[in-house]
Amino acid sequence: MDHSTSDCQLNPGEVDYEFESNEVPEPLSVVDDELVPKVGMTFTTLEDAGKFYRNYAKAAGFSTRVRCTNRKGNEIKNQLITCSKEGKWKSKISPTKKTNPTAGLNCPARIYIHTLKDVGAWIISKVVLDHSHPCCPSKAEMLKQHRELSMSIRRTIENNEEAGIRPSKTYQSFVAAAGGHRELNFIEKDVRNYITRKVRNVSEQEDAKKFGKYFLRMKEKNPNFFFELELEEDQSITLAFWADARSRAAFEYFGDVISFDTTYNTNRYNLVCGSFVGVNHHGQSTLLGCSLMKNEEIESFKWLFQCWLRCMGGNAPKGFLTDQCASMKRALEACMPTTIHRWCIWHIMKKIPSKLNGYKGHADIEQEMSQVVWNSHSKDSFDRNWNDFLLNFGLADNKWLSDLYEDRHIWVSIYLDHHFWAGMRSTQRSESMHSFFNKFITRNSSLIQFVKQYDNCLGSREQVERESDAADFHTVIPCATKSSIEAQFQDAYTHQKFREVQAQFRGKANCITRLMNSALGYSVYEVGEQVSSSIFNKFVVTYDSVAAEVKCQCLLFESRGILCRHALSVLSFEQVSQVSPRYILERWSKKVKRRHTHIKSSHDEPLMEPRSKRFDQLVFRSQNICEFASESEELTAILHRAYDNVMAEMESLKAKRKGTSSLSHEDANLESVNELQSPPRIRTRRRPKNRLGSKLDKQIANATKKKKTKVLSEINLFDATSAVHSNSSQYQGHVMNYQFRVPVAGDNSLGV
């Protein structure tokens, strides 16, 4: 008895089509006779037959779909392919509410294909060419079936997505390369769909696993890569920190002052992103670690800061800039008691309109407060100017201003600038890093997307530094004056820092130096700086000729490491030709050999399919050939002939090996194993008969049933009761089963 299964029961001899009276078939489009399907046509495979009908459909102006397939066991016996407008489905929803377009028009066009047992081929046994709707070949390219993305297009989309290029820009690049929209066989929607479904399609369950695997790959590439994770009891991630080997090496030179800031909306799990940012020898921002946190509570910041200190060898920075977050403040006091904490002055000044908007003349209040904060050149003058400001505007009882005054030692410049801050007064550098992420990351982004963009940010920062280093090595900025002191800085400092020195030399022209008193080589000067036509600021500068030491009241050198114009004026007045080496900081020197410059920033190699890898390799090699052949028509013709010969040879080989392949232990590798497919599924209607086992088999089976077996619980890669350390021994070996997951997307338990 023949047992067969079918997706639908089809009798090719009993096909009846009903048409509505108002539907009149349109005349068929003129199609090349070789493309028109005919009864009796044979094909080697079912795929070839389907491809032939699709090509005809594109030429005629319609699209197709497989209506049903009959099988016998695992073998396909026949198949019905129809026009995509076959059938007519009526929705239960009222047409006034459901306005989506439908394509079903009871179109009868179809072909019926079945297999020839003896020959092993496929034959068309029935053809209907008439349609119940007009067909337009010129619009066929817009039908979904006839739009396709080639391998080259797909790889370009993937690379652009990796680089953070928006889909609209990617599509426009294809349009420009093709010479217009009409020259493409796909639309912008196809690009977006491919990115959404193929590139960004990461489930919440897989996202955490890929996140962990990324860290393991980075650790395997460079053992100095550092990461730690804090997990809930259900193995969900609550805290994560990581820093690559280059960032850890850069901390040795640029870890004296750190800016830390947090931002939201960088991932689908509402995890807060925090970045540690320093300043390199060019005055550029450099990343020194990144974190993701479920909330902004004190304990979360304590865990993060302790983790960061472990990553950096336990060396706390001298200065740490944050915003006005009470949780950060308390966590820093506990974790880095010797570090000077500074609040971002920009955040504070930005709050003035909202905090003082209810007062009459709030615009004047804002302007006067800014004058007090920025133009007080001593602690005494600030205290005096602040009290006058409160009395003049009747703000003595304002709690916000009172609290600010109590905390003045952690945000007012005059209380902090006697310490080195590398020119930082705000967390703007951290925010600029976050703005980079926000260009390419949204609240729907996955964790693995976030770390990839973080890699891109690391790479871009590294490249900017390398370009600046090269410019320092190969070029020289000419001195603006004849001063030998300027020549000292020209020889030692990087270009960017030397430009800052030159700005001070230019500013020296606006300074008037007057000697106040002098005794035993110690002189006190008053330097008046003209900042406008009627305003002069006065600064006290001291000079010790014995110790060759100069100090200015403005504290520019102490806070930024750059000699100010007031000090340069005094040195010029004293006819000093060379400054003491203490004023030429190694921090800004271009001659120091820094270890981190020899380390590449972490960058995860894309996990591509074997075919994609082969495609990229072939394209890379063919570029040189094409560039050489494009020099003349003769060389181009030679390459075309070679392409034709190679294509014919490959098609011949593919035809011979069609349907069969082999894999031996000699050429087997991870890529080839990944390409293996499961055996075909066997469809049966009833339970298969028991195998006739031997007496020994039955005895073993009975003994197994009686015996109580102890089931060992699966060993989790990550322990839920403790943080995961990157140098833990449990990472040895290739463990692929990650037992941690991401937080629930709807969890909004964020700290304030």
Side-chain angles (χ1 to χ4, degrees), residues 488-716:
Q488 271 187 280
F489 290 106
Q490 178 198 44
D491 180 64
Y493 276 13
T494 61
H495 284 3
Q496 182 58 38
K497 288 302 165 181
F498 179 56
R499 289 190 180 98
E500 294 182 25
V501 171
Q502 285 187 317
Q504 298 303 317
F505 271 94
R506 287 192 295 270
K508 191 178 70 168
N510 299 320
C511 296
I512 300 175
T513 305
R514 184 166 65 94
L515 178 64
M516 301 294 292
N517 57 69
S518 178
L520 300 177
Y522 185 84
S523 304
V524 178
Y525 290 88
E526 182 185 78
V527 178
E529 180 184 5
Q530 186 175 7
V531 295
S532 68
S533 59
S534 59
I535 299 177
F536 279 82
N537 289 334
K538 295 181 179 180
F539 299 89
V540 176
V541 181
T542 61
Y543 177 69
D544 187 343
S545 59
V546 178
E549 184 178 21
V550 61
K551 287 187 178 180
C552 180
Q553 185 183 6
C554 75
L555 301 175
L556 184 69
F557 177 76
E558 287 76 7
S559 63
R560 293 178 57 182
I562 300 294
L563 269 180
C564 65
R565 48 195 170 274
H566 319 116
L568 291 173
S569 296
V570 170
L571 292 175
S572 179
F573 190 89
E574 290 281 346
Q575 296 183 351
V576 176
S577 59
Q578 296 286 312
V579 296
S580 171
R582 69 165 66 96
Y583 297 110
I584 302 177
L585 303 184
E586 281 192 358
R587 185 69 168 70
W588 308 132
S589 176
K590 62 184 177 183
K591 295 184 176 181
V592 177
K593 303 298 182 181
R594 296 175 175 88
R595 186 166 57 92
H596 77 282
T597 58
H598 304 288
I599 304 174
K600 291 183 179 180
S601 61
S602 65
H603 187 79
D604 192 17
E605 296 179 0
L607 301 176
M608 296 186 298
E609 294 294 326
R611 184 181 179 186
S612 298
K613 288 185 178 180
R614 292 193 293 267
F615 177 84
D616 286 355
Q617 292 169 355
L618 291 171
V619 169
F620 181 77
R621 292 198 64 183
S622 63
Q623 286 176 349
N624 293 333
I625 300 175
C626 294
E627 182 178 355
F628 184 81
S630 63
E631 293 179 359
S632 67
E633 291 291 343
E634 293 80 5
L635 294 176
T636 302
I638 293 174
L639 184 58
H640 278 306
R641 289 195 298 271
Y643 276 154
D644 294 339
N645 295 334
V646 171
M647 192 66 185
E649 183 179 353
M650 290 190 298
E651 288 177 347
S652 175
L653 178 63
K654 187 176 180 180
K656 292 179 181 178
R657 301 178 59 180
K658 195 167 188 177
T660 62
S661 62
S662 62
L663 180 65
S664 67
H665 70 279
E666 295 177 351
D667 57 359
N669 52 41
L670 182 59
E671 294 180 358
S672 58
V673 173
N674 286 336
E675 291 183 317
L676 295 177
Q677 301 295 323
S678 300
R681 180 179 176 182
I682 305 299
R683 300 175 181 267
T684 58
R685 288 190 175 184
R686 59 176 65 87
R687 181 180 178 182
K689 295 181 180 180
N690 293 332
R691 181 176 67 89
L692 297 177
S694 64
K695 183 177 180 181
L696 179 60
D697 291 338
K698 293 179 180 179
Q699 290 176 351
I700 294 174
N702 293 333
T704 305
K705 290 179 181 179
K706 294 178 182 179
K707 184 179 179 181
K708 293 182 179 180
T709 59
K710 182 179 181 181
V711 180
L712 297 176
S713 62
E714 184 178 10
I715 299 176
N716 292 342

Side-chain angles (χ1 to χ4, degrees), residues 329-359:
K329 186 174 183 293
R330 294 182 61 181
L332 275 172
E333 291 171 352
C335 300
M336 307 179 203
T338 61
T339 297
I340 302 170
H341 184 201
R342 182 171 189 165
W343 277 348
C344 172
I345 194 170
W346 180 81
H347 279 96
I348 294 175
M349 302 304 289
K350 188 180 178 182
K351 293 179 181 178
I352 296 177
S354 61
K355 295 292 184 179
L356 305 178
N357 196 33
Y359 290 89

Side-chain angles (χ1 to χ4, degrees), residues 296-354:
E296 292 188 286
E297 297 175 357
I298 297 175
E299 294 303 319
S300 297
F301 283 120
K302 281 185 178 180
W303 180 92
L304 176 60
F305 293 152
Q306 290 169 355
C307 180
W308 184 73
L309 286 174
R310 285 195 298 273
C311 174
M312 302 305 173
N315 300 314
K318 296 177 181 178
F320 206 95
L321 283 89
T322 69
D323 59 13
Q324 273 182 290
C325 177
S327 299
M328 283 190 207
K329 186 174 183 293
R330 294 182 61 181
L332 275 172
E333 291 171 352
C335 300
M336 307 179 203
T338 61
T339 297
I340 302 170
H341 184 201
R342 182 171 189 165
W343 277 348
C344 172
I345 194 170
W346 180 81
H347 279 96
I348 294 175
M349 302 304 289
K350 188 180 178 182
K351 293 179 181 178
I352 296 177
S354 61

Side-chain angles (χ1 to χ4, degrees), residues 39-43 112-116 121-125:
V39 175
M41 282 186 170
T42 58
F43 302 90
Y112 181 77
I113 314 165
H114 72 270
T115 183
L116 296 174
W122 295 82
I123 188 171
I124 298 178
S125 58

